[in-house]
């Protein structure tokens, strides 16, 4: 715990970083990188952390090795280990903004604010490194790739997001509490919102492939129609959701792509469906997964074909109650009493910070970046998404305040 004068000193230091934070964020925005292909971004992050005297571990992740972890040991006394996380990857979206810092890569854009998340956590790291004598315990700065999706592991073939890859490489070892901030244009800049318990759903991505046998349309009895199998699967999955999921729960399944066949007069030999389903309870995720497998198997067997299914398992983002109290108290001190709120209901979107929260208590909060007067109103994952860069200093200050205050103080 620190005194008011010391706290003001830290907040002032963070505020003095605004120009540098904007420069970092805009540089990252101009050079977005997808999933695990974040060599430039992770190199910049690691280099800056090292220049501030922070212990750095590069190449974190047992499967892809693209994460960066900075460790700062406070000299103000013993204390807990606090993990602060930012994500680094962008999205395969063509940017439509005309800003001078627009993406230079066609079809790739920081449309989810990960450039801002990275800049905010870097700002917190620099502030805390300059004031490590204020810190009791250890701060672990985690910069992860591949929050927006998953790739097949070169080691065991599993579909893994960046959070799972880094967790399997030990980033949570010895951690007592963890926090992450996510920009939200629906909230005005200078505000923060947090869900008291469930924040986001488990977003699971699935691919189902049906294999049949091709044939001419004049002789359907000599073929096995994979397109028909796909069509039946799409139709019958609604019944699966109705019967497998408690109607009192929030859950949704939708398809994104369907590919089948090669010619107008040839029965399709194969088909592929891709989609997502979202729910909050692990038991519901398991029930839907098993239901999809059974449905695909039944349809393939009835048609005389076969099927294969791939799944990227999701997990809900579930906040810890004590951590929620802590970050709300922190944000009220930084932003003001009336600028912090509880959000309800939870979102059916997904976020792989849920893997962290499944193992360590913590909280995932949304920090406002919208500004209607400036026309900053477009939602994340849209080609005209942008943010009010004042959010950068607000985020730094919240992270810093979390790091230098004890949990018991914040919850008063």
């Amino acid at each position: 715990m620190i005194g008011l004068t010391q706290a003001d000193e830290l907040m002032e230091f963070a505020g003095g970083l605004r120009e540098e934070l904007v420069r970092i964020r805009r540089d990252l925005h101009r050079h977005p990188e997808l999933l695990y292909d974040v060599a430039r971004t992770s190199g910049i992050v690691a280099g800056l952390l090292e220049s501030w005297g922070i212990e750095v571990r590069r190449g974190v992740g047992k499967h892809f090795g693209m994460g960066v972890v900075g460790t700062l040991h406070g000299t103000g006394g013993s204390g807990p280990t606090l993990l602060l996380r930012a994500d680094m990857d962008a999205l395969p979206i063509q940017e439509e903004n005309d800003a001078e810092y627009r993406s230079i890569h066609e079809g790739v854009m920081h449309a989810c604010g990960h450039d801002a998340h990275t800049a905010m956590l870097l700002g917190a790291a620099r502030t805390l490194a300059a004031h490590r004598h204020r810190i009791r315990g250890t701060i672990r700065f985690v910069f992860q790739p591949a929050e927006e999706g998953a790739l097949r592991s070169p080691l065991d073939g599993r579909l893994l997001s960046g959070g799972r890859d880094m967790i399997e490489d030990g980033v949570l070892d010895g951690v007592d509490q963890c926090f992450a901030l996510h920009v939200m244009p629906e909230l005005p800049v200078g505000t923060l919102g947090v869900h008291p318990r469930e924040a986001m759903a488990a977003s699971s991505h699935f691919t189902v492939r049906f294999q049949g046998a091709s044939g001419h349309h004049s002789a359907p009895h000599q073929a096995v129609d994979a397109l028909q199998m796909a069509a039946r699967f799409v139709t019958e999955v609604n019944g699966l959701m109705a019967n497998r999921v408690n109607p009192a729960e929030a859950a949704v399944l939708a398809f994104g792509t369907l590919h089948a066949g090669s010619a107008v007069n040839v029965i399709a030999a194969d088909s592929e469906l891709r989609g997502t389903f979202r729910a909050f309870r692990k038991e519901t995720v398991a029930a839907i997964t098993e239901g999809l497998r059974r449905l695909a198997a039944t349809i393939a067997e009835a048609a005389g074909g076969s099927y294969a299914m791939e799944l990227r398992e999701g997990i809900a983002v579930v906040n810890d109650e004590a951590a929620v109290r802590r970050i709300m108290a922190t944000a009220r001190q930084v932003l003001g009493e009336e600028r912090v709120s509880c959000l309800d209901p939870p979102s059916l979107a997904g976020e792989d910070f849920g893997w962290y929260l499944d193992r360590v208590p913590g909280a995932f909060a949304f920090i406002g970046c919208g500004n209607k007067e400036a026309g900053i109103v477009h939602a994340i994952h849209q080609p005209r998404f942008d943010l009010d860069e004042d959010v950068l200093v607000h985020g730094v200050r919240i992270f810093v305040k979390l790091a230098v205050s004890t949990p018991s103080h914040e919850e008063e």
Side-chain angles (χ1 to χ4, degrees):
M1 190 183 303
I2 63 174
L4 180 60
T5 302
Q6 295 169 332
D8 288 344
E9 176 189 337
L10 286 167
M11 296 300 101
E12 183 177 352
F13 186 96
L17 298 178
R18 188 185 191 283
E19 185 176 338
E20 182 178 0
L21 296 173
V22 168
R23 179 186 59 77
I24 292 171
R25 181 256 166 173
R26 292 186 178 187
D27 177 69
L28 297 178
H29 193 90
R30 288 189 192 97
H31 303 89
E33 296 175 303
L34 295 173
L35 293 173
Y36 289 102
D37 187 20
V38 292
R40 181 183 187 275
T41 305
S42 61
I44 290 171
V45 167
L48 288 173
L49 294 174
E50 287 170 343
S51 73
W52 301 327
I54 295 173
E55 176 187 322
V56 174
R57 182 182 169 206
R58 299 172 183 248
V60 182
K62 280 190 175 181
H63 301 262
F64 294 94
M66 292 306 298
V68 177
V69 176
T71 301
L72 181 64
H73 299 287
T75 59
S78 61
T81 295
L82 178 70
L83 183 149
L84 305 174
R85 175 272 215 170
D87 33 22
M88 299 185 289
D89 58 320
L91 285 159
I93 292 176
Q94 178 63 44
E95 182 161 11
E96 295 180 1
N97 291 317
D98 294 324
E100 56 89 14
Y101 51 85
R102 75 190 305 271
S103 170
I104 66 171
H105 300 308
E106 292 297 310
V108 184
M109 176 192 176
H110 269 296
C112 199
H114 295 188
D115 51 344
H117 300 167
T118 299
M120 287 188 288
L121 191 53
L122 283 171
R126 180 170 183 185
T127 303
L128 292 167
H131 300 85
R132 66 186 71 205
H133 59 289
R134 312 281 193 213
I135 301 169
R136 294 180 179 177
T138 299
I139 311 299
R140 190 171 296 169
F141 306 98
V142 171
F143 296 84
Q144 78 157 73
E147 189 284 316
E148 294 291 356
L151 290 179
R152 192 173 300 284
S153 166
L155 301 181
D156 59 23
R158 287 181 297 150
L159 287 169
L160 293 176
S161 65
R164 294 186 71 182
D165 189 19
M166 295 188 74
I167 288 169
E168 291 188 13
D169 203 6
V171 298
L172 291 179
D173 292 352
V175 172
D176 296 287
Q177 210 170 39
C178 61
F179 293 93
L181 296 175
H182 198 298
V183 295
M184 176 180 274
E186 291 82 2
L187 292 175
V189 68
T191 65
L192 180 134
V194 60
H195 293 85
R197 187 63 177 164
E198 287 84 6
M200 303 181 83
S203 176
S204 298
H205 297 206
F206 64 88
T207 300
V208 177
R209 298 183 181 91
F210 290 104
Q211 185 67 47
S214 64
H216 196 272
H217 279 187
S218 64
H221 59 291
Q222 297 176 353
V224 177
D225 195 333
L227 194 157
Q228 291 277 8
M229 287 189 274
R232 182 179 167 190
F233 188 84
V234 171
T235 301
E236 295 188 14
V237 82
N238 291 325
L240 181 152
M241 292 297 290
N243 294 318
R244 287 286 228 174
V245 179
N246 184 335
E249 289 187 45
V252 63
L253 183 151
F255 293 96
T257 65
L258 190 161
H259 299 285
S262 59
V264 68
N265 61 346
V266 177
I267 291 172
D270 50 65
S271 60
E272 179 187 273
L273 304 118
R274 300 178 66 199
T276 72
F277 62 88
R278 298 151 193 271
F280 290 97
R281 297 174 62 246
K282 291 181 180 179
E283 296 81 1
T284 304
V285 172
I288 295 173
T289 300
E290 179 60 21
L292 291 175
R293 293 190 190 280
R294 287 179 178 272
L295 178 60
T298 298
I299 290 171
E301 181 180 3
S306 61
Y307 88 99
M309 179 173 160
E310 296 177 353
L311 177 74
R312 190 202 87 178
E313 181 185 2
I315 191 167
V317 177
V318 183
N319 289 331
D320 172 72
E321 294 178 10
V324 168
R325 291 194 299 270
R326 182 179 182 187
I327 197 169
M328 291 186 72
T330 297
R332 288 187 181 112
Q333 293 174 35
V334 172
L335 303 174
E337 187 72 27
E338 302 302 319
R339 300 184 70 78
V340 179
S341 62
C342 279
L343 300 177
D344 196 52
S347 169
L348 279 164
E351 229 285 355
D352 83 343
F353 195 64
W355 295 106
Y356 297 75
L357 295 175
D358 187 54
R359 293 158 174 78
V360 173
F364 182 84
F366 293 94
I367 186 167
C369 69
N371 186 329
K372 291 182 179 179
E373 290 73 19
I376 300 174
V377 296
H378 298 282
I380 60 173
H381 290 223
Q382 292 191 9
R384 293 190 63 194
F385 167 79
D386 205 347
L387 50 83
D388 185 325
E389 289 172 322
D390 284 348
V391 69
L392 301 176
V393 170
H394 295 316
V396 170
R397 285 173 168 163
I398 290 170
F399 276 143
V400 167
K401 189 72 174 174
L402 283 169
V404 298
S405 302
T406 63
S408 59
H409 170 65
E410 293 297 349
E411 293 167 25
E412 289 177 354

